[in-house]
């Protein structure tokens, strides 16, 4: 069984990241800190960090400069 999670609008933000090779790691650290502050468990946080880092890495490789994560 899977459980859908809905976040309130207060749990939304945007990060603007530089187009540098350390942007995926930076996004991963920001995600870890944010989800910890919001009270998410380690398993959820670890999986989300990996997805965010992959998306940022792909954006750096295939998109225009200036990565924004919302």
């Amino acid at each position: 069984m899977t459980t859908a999670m809905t976040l309130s609008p207060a749990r939304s933000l945007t990060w603007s990241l530089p187009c540098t090779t350390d942007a995926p790691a930076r996004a991963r650290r920001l995600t870890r800190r944010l989800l910890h502050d919001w009270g998410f468990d380690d398993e959820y946080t670890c999986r989300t960090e990996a997805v965010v880092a992959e998306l940022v890495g792909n954006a750096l490789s295939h998109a225009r400069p200036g990565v924004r994560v919302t």
Side-chain angles (χ1 to χ4, degrees):
M1 174 191 285
T2 58
T3 303
M5 187 176 304
T6 304
L7 298 177
S8 68
R11 288 191 173 181
S12 177
L13 57 87
T14 299
W15 294 314
S16 293
L17 301 171
C19 289
T20 59
T21 57
D22 71 329
R26 181 184 249 175
R28 189 177 207 121
R29 285 190 305 272
L30 290 167
T31 300
R32 181 183 319 118
R33 188 176 323 140
L34 179 69
L35 294 180
H36 179 272
D37 290 350
W38 283 353
F40 287 93
D41 64 39
D42 289 340
E43 181 179 348
Y44 182 85
T45 298
C46 184
R47 291 179 182 185
T48 305
E49 286 176 48
V51 170
V52 169
E54 182 70 19
L55 289 171
V56 170
N58 288 342
L60 288 172
S61 295
H62 305 290
R64 293 181 286 163
V67 177
R68 289 182 57 180
V69 177
T70 301

